[in-house]
Amino acid sequence: MTETDGPLVETRGVAKSFSGVEVLHGIDLDLRAGEVHALLGENGAGKSTYAKILAGVHRPTRGEVTLAGQPVSIGSPLEAQRLGVTLIHQEPLSFPHLTVAENLFVGGEDTGVLGRVPWRRMAAEAERLIGALGVTIDPQAVMAGLSIADQQMVEIARALASDTRLIIMDEPTAPLTPREVATLFDIVRRLKAEGRAIVFISHRLEEVRALCDRVTVFRDGALISTAPVADLTDDDIIRLMIGRPLQEYLHKEVASLGDEALSVSGLTRGGAFADVSFSLRKGEVLGVAGLVGAGRTDVARAIFGIAPAEAGEIRIHGKPTTIAEPDDAIAHRIAYVPEDRAIAGIFRTLPVDQNITAAAPRSIGAGPFISPRREREIAADAIDRLSIRLASVHQPIGELSGGNQQKAILARWLLTDPEILILDEPTRGIDVGVKAEFYDRINQLAAEGRAVLLISSDLPELLTLADRILVMSEGRLTGEFSRAEADQEKIMQAAVPRSAA
Amino acid sequence: MSATETFDAAKARPLWHRIVVRPESVTLLLLIAAVFVSAWLSPFFADLRFVLESATFYIEFGIIALMLTLVVVSGEIDLSVAATMALSACLFGIAHRAGLGMPVAILIGLGSGALMGLFNGVLVTVFRLPSIIATIGTMVLYRGIAQVIAGDRSVGGFPDWFVGIDFIAVGIVPVPVIIFVVLAILLGLVLGSTLFGRQIYQTGTNPIAARHAGIRVDRLKMILFTASGLTSAVGGLLMASRLGVVRYDLATGGELQVVLIVMLGGTYIFGGRGTIAGTFLALWLLIIIQTGMTVANIAIEAQLTVLGLLLILAIISANAIYAGGRR
């Protein structure tokens, strides 16, 4: 497969502008066959734009791309596919109602007479491709019924169907469980051994360290540095990414604990979680660890009234409470920053100020009417306090970067002056700089005497911030550790389902 | 500061752009153009009185379109409005014929309309049916019931004071036009300036996020559907007054007229965007164009063609403007 000694892909001076603003400045980069190359950088640093140029989604404004020594122009994803370049999206962009086999051959010209579909040959070929990845997925299964991990595998199999030489993975591990990540890594290593080039975009340094050969760091649309992973420490990488050393990135301020703010006992909802009991005190950060699908989010949604529990009791400040709707939860001064910002958080096309004030309508109301002046003031104040970066409060929130959207959602809940905050994966998919701001903020919220329930799949994050960590597995609590006794190994032991161990 | 800020700043549209470039502006431009063309085609158009009198044929749909705007902004649709007009008007007519007296008959008409709207709301929020399906169902159902109870005959014999509301005018402005204008101001305030209106936009933009933010989405939709039914009943009574009789096939096909007005006004069919001002302007656009073409002796088929083209133009421009604002 390695036909030349030179790099498989070379880009020289590749730049991209959107509506006159250059977002990517003259990138010179080589990608070699048989290497896994990490692209790192804060959101908006230009790494995804660069990846999309390679994949034919964007055309470069200037600069050139050579593939195996030949200058190429990659005008569309289909052309990229013909040249052997495939982009695997984080959330696979497949056809959810078609079967795995049909998805594998979408875009193929392999039809029979009059465009007849060779179903039998397709099924056999699908079986072969999926088998080659060492995973078991039924080719006749409907795509929508698969886990995200399996959908990714199908995308990878599709890349292999067209004999791909360069595979670009844009944050593939974000939605995966640790075990699925391990499977993905095995496959990536196999693809590498076959002499393919892999570009791996991720926010997780430990993954980059485990998998990648070289790292390229992007910042502000420019390439800052390319080096072998082994030559850089984590601190080096973070400094390159944010352009300054990060002091006290991981720190905890221990707040004094007050009375019990929230307790649940025997909380149960069929198929989601069973017999969950815990209590949370004022000033405490209670971490909840577990694999994706362990029921952590379901418990949060039950407490917040989105999908209430069928059995069990919720007490707020010791008083038994019924919460049937989020509205009830808000009345009891509970706030919930949801896991999926795009679906359950933002109003994409509405202005930033209207997004920020959404959960505290009374603060901007004058009787039934809205006071635009008060809304503007309150929003401006929140934007200032959380240092949300934006051009105007009238800007649709969808125009902001992910980290700033997340800050706006946090601002929305802080306006309700909550006593109990449930944060569900608050820093997922946001870059290191903003993450540090969130850590400071969570410390501060606890110091103000608020009770924080922090659900996170990022173990270092939990170990840093939490006073106590609960572990859930398959809908049940399987562990509880104090700050002193918790470590990654103990938590994972409790998180991995017994039945499957 | 990082580059994110400069990118955001570069992408933001200037304020004047946000204010001027919006779908209602397109409706306004079309309206102005239509006035000039009509005035050029026929000298009658110099006469405001003539325009206002012509308006009474369309005003019933206009009133319903105002309320439907709120429903569409919330992310739903109500296609049963014309059938609701017919059934509530028939119930009113039959109640009157049964000797219940006008006040009671009117209350029955209005109350039944509200109930029909409430039923739509139940189908959508309790049974979780998509409103387009649910209200196509009730559109047929309500019309069917109207036919069963009213039969094939006209029901009339209303007292003189009730008949011909379109001929009663304050100055040169007919009463139905006044009702339309007052309702437009009222609903414009509700949608544009109240917390409830804000919740309508938020629900239409992202119902899941709306619920997470503590908005009682189902209750909000129930209120809107009920109000839509009630408004349709008002439209039905106005039409009964104008025609002097009610029949089961009153306002047949009216739902399309109403939806056309809402769309012409630049309201986004998938919810979250639209204004009462747009719908208000769109009704006048429709009136000017229809009467303008009639006065200019343009055949009815050609009129439909023009309306169709206009609607497509309005939708294309609204989509283009919304797509521009999204990025």
Side-chain angles (χ1 to χ4, degrees):
Chain A
M1 266 251 166
T2 43
E3 53 280 81
T4 48
D5 291 336
L8 175 68
V9 177
E10 274 185 271
T11 58
R12 290 288 164 260
V14 164
K16 177 70 189 170
S17 303
F18 290 113
S19 44
V21 182
E22 193 169 278
V23 297
L24 199 63
H25 321 292
I27 305 296
D28 298 330
L29 183 59
D30 303 336
L31 302 169
R32 299 175 193 151
E35 82 164 342
V36 183
H37 196 120
L39 298 189
L40 289 171
E42 297 194 81
N43 290 339
K47 52 192 194 307
S48 288
T49 308
Y50 179 73
K52 283 178 181 164
I53 287 175
L54 291 181
V57 178
H58 296 323
R59 269 173 186 280
T61 333
R62 58 187 166 80
E64 66 169 14
V65 180
T66 61
L67 187 69
Q70 301 295 314
V72 288
S73 155
I74 311 174
S76 70
L78 193 61
E79 258 176 75
Q81 195 182 346
R82 290 211 189 100
L83 291 167
V85 178
T86 306
L87 174 65
I88 311 243
H89 295 270
Q90 180 184 352
E91 307 287 339
L93 299 171
S94 51
F95 298 87
H97 302 297
L98 298 185
T99 66
V100 169
E102 285 161 351
N103 266 285
L104 279 176
F105 298 101
V106 165
E109 306 97 306
D110 223 17
T111 48
V113 181
L114 296 175
R116 197 181 62 81
V117 181
W119 295 108
R120 196 164 309 156
R121 198 174 73 230
M122 233 169 72
E125 182 67 7
E127 195 114 35
R128 190 186 65 76
L129 284 166
I130 290 166
L133 292 178
V135 291
T136 43
I137 301 170
D138 177 8
Q140 299 311 323
V142 173
M143 207 61 179
L146 300 183
S147 69
I148 289 195
D150 284 350
Q151 292 184 29
Q152 272 186 3
M153 294 304 161
V154 174
E155 292 256 317
I156 294 171
R158 180 155 92 197
L160 300 183
S162 54
D163 218 9
T164 293
R165 288 186 284 180
L166 172 63
I167 301 175
I168 304 160
M169 299 184 172
D170 195 350
E171 292 198 51
T173 58
L176 303 188
T177 65
R179 193 156 2 129
E180 290 166 342
V181 169
T183 311
L184 178 73
F185 281 15
D186 284 345
I187 289 168
V188 170
R189 290 195 187 99
R190 188 127 39 98
L191 297 173
K192 171 185 157 181
E194 289 169 10
R196 301 177 209 267
I198 292 113
V199 168
F200 186 81
I201 300 177
S202 174
H203 281 295
R204 299 182 184 168
L205 292 186
E206 72 270 18
E207 290 179 359
V208 169
R209 221 162 258 297
L211 190 66
C212 301
D213 303 300
R214 289 195 299 159
V215 201
T216 292
V217 178
F218 281 73
R219 188 170 76 228
D220 298 352
L223 191 157
I224 300 300
S225 170
T226 298
V229 175
D231 293 359
L232 298 171
T233 65
D234 283 1
D235 283 354
D236 292 339
I237 294 175
I238 289 172
R239 202 179 51 243
L240 288 170
M241 280 167 66
I242 64 176
R244 63 190 151 88
L246 209 106
Q247 320 106 337
E248 303 187 342
Y249 167 43
L250 301 175
H251 77 291
K252 162 81 180 170
E253 289 162 21
V254 178
S256 59
L257 301 191
D259 299 337
E260 178 186 283
L262 169 77
S263 77
V264 302
S265 56
L267 220 54
T268 301
R269 193 159 63 82
F273 53 88
D275 199 23
V276 172
S277 307
F278 62 85
S279 83
L280 170 63
R281 294 166 67 184
K282 288 182 174 178
E284 184 179 32
V285 178
L286 178 58
V288 187
L291 305 180
V292 172
R296 296 173 299 166
T297 294
D298 297 289
V299 171
R301 285 161 56 90
I303 296 171
F304 196 62
I306 296 159
E310 289 154 358
E313 190 181 57
I314 298 174
R315 287 168 177 267
I316 291 168
H317 303 308
K319 268 206 277 274
T321 308
T322 310
I323 298 173
E325 271 286 317
D327 197 17
D328 301 331
I330 294 168
H332 286 100
R333 296 180 64 191
I334 303 177
Y336 175 51
V337 174
E339 178 183 17
D340 195 326
R341 185 174 58 238
I343 291 176
I346 62 167
F347 302 104
R348 174 170 297 281
T349 51
L350 297 182
V352 178
D353 55 351
Q354 296 187 15
N355 269 280
I356 288 177
T357 59
R362 259 170 238 110
S363 68
I364 57 164
F369 292 97
I370 292 169
S371 156
R373 189 181 51 82
R374 204 171 323 155
E375 174 160 49
R376 210 167 38 239
E377 283 169 8
I378 285 178
D381 183 51
I383 286 164
D384 195 41
R385 259 186 302 143
L386 278 89
S387 51
I388 299 172
R389 290 176 191 165
L390 77 180
S392 148
V393 291
H394 303 296
Q395 213 177 353
I397 196 169
E399 290 179 1
L400 304 190
S401 71
N404 283 305
Q405 289 179 13
Q406 186 73 341
K407 283 191 197 173
I409 299 300
L410 186 62
R412 172 192 294 173
W413 290 109
L414 295 185
L415 274 186
T416 66
D417 193 15
E419 289 174 344
I420 301 162
L421 272 114
I422 307 173
L423 307 176
D424 198 346
E425 305 283 4
T427 65
R428 179 155 87 192
I430 64 180
D431 49 65
V432 189
V434 177
K435 214 170 176 172
E437 289 177 45
F438 265 90
Y439 287 9
D440 287 344
R441 180 70 50 184
I442 292 168
N443 278 323
Q444 186 199 327
L445 290 169
E448 289 167 5
R450 300 177 207 270
V452 179
L453 188 67
L454 175 65
I455 301 174
S456 177
S457 297
D458 185 338
L459 287 184
E461 175 169 302
L462 286 180
L463 291 168
T464 302
L465 294 173
D467 294 289
R468 199 153 51 97
I469 297 176
L470 303 174
V471 186
M472 280 189 77
S473 177
E474 298 189 307
R476 288 173 182 276
L477 282 180
T478 52
E480 176 177 344
F481 303 99
S482 71
R483 182 173 177 77
E485 60 189 1
D487 64 36
Q488 296 216 12
E489 200 172 320
K490 285 184 194 155
I491 292 172
M492 284 319 292
Q493 286 257 325
V496 173
R498 298 273 161 246
S499 48
Chain B
M1 293 254 176
S2 102
T4 329
E5 188 173 39
T6 47
F7 296 164
D8 289 344
K11 276 187 289 189
R13 299 189 297 153
L15 190 59
W16 69 266
H17 194 262
R18 280 177 215 283
I19 292 170
V20 175
V21 182
R22 43 192 313 147
E24 302 91 285
S25 313
V26 176
T27 314
L28 182 63
L29 286 179
L30 286 174
L31 177 59
I32 292 168
V35 168
F36 276 102
V37 172
S38 304
W40 175 66
L41 284 173
S42 157
F44 285 110
F45 264 87
D47 187 358
L48 190 59
R49 189 190 303 263
F50 172 75
V51 176
L52 289 173
E53 276 167 14
S54 318
T56 52
F57 290 98
Y58 304 94
I59 219 84
E60 293 125 14
F61 293 144
I63 286 169
I64 297 167
L66 290 173
M67 192 56 224
L68 188 69
T69 305
L70 270 59
V71 175
V72 173
V73 171
S74 84
E76 303 292 343
I77 186 118
D78 183 355
L79 293 177
S80 73
V81 286
T84 303
M85 284 171 84
L87 179 52
S88 58
C90 284
L91 285 169
F92 153 76
I94 288 162
H96 172 257
R97 193 175 58 188
L100 286 177
M102 282 303 279
V104 178
I106 288 173
L107 274 182
I108 286 177
L110 295 177
S112 66
L115 278 179
M116 285 178 249
L118 188 74
F119 183 64
N120 286 333
V122 168
L123 291 180
V124 171
T125 61
V126 179
F127 293 94
R128 300 273 156 212
L129 297 181
S131 54
I132 187 159
I133 308 290
T135 60
I136 285 176
T138 53
M139 168 176 93
V140 177
L141 175 71
Y142 297 161
R143 185 74 71 181
I145 298 173
Q147 189 168 12
V148 168
I149 61 168
D152 217 8
R153 294 183 314 274
S154 301
V155 180
F158 302 121
D160 286 347
W161 64 264
F162 178 77
V163 179
I165 194 171
D166 51 318
F167 283 115
I168 307 168
V170 177
I172 58 163
V173 188
V175 169
V177 175
I178 293 173
I179 296 176
F180 174 74
V181 172
V182 169
L183 189 68
I185 292 169
L186 214 68
L187 289 183
L189 277 176
V190 168
L191 188 59
S193 302
T194 65
L195 291 168
F196 183 71
R198 171 67 63 77
Q199 294 185 337
I200 296 175
Y201 281 110
Q202 287 168 337
T203 300
T205 303
N206 184 346
I208 298 173
R211 188 156 172 253
H212 276 77
I215 296 170
R216 303 222 172 209
V217 170
D218 285 350
R219 190 164 69 187
L220 178 132
K221 287 183 175 171
M222 202 75 103
I223 292 170
L224 291 179
F225 275 110
T226 307
S228 174
L230 178 63
T231 317
S232 301
V234 171
L237 292 182
L238 287 175
M239 196 174 271
S241 164
R242 178 162 62 81
L243 301 175
V245 291
V246 297
R247 285 177 53 86
Y248 83 91
D249 58 356
L250 172 139
T252 299
E255 58 281 338
L256 288 183
Q257 290 262 14
V258 175
V259 172
L260 180 126
I261 296 167
V262 175
M263 299 287 98
L264 265 184
T267 296
Y268 190 53
I269 190 72
F270 298 115
R273 290 183 280 200
T275 58
I276 289 295
T279 303
F280 182 86
L281 293 171
L283 178 76
W284 294 107
L285 176 63
L286 184 75
I287 290 167
I288 302 279
I289 288 178
Q290 290 254 32
T291 50
M293 287 190 296
T294 306
V295 168
N297 279 324
I298 294 172
I300 202 90
E301 306 82 47
Q303 293 192 10
L304 279 180
T305 315
V306 172
L307 279 183
L309 287 174
L310 211 63
L311 181 62
I312 289 170
L313 179 71
I315 291 173
I316 288 175
S317 63
N319 278 353
I321 288 165
Y322 287 139
R326 180 178 305 211
R327 215 156 292 280

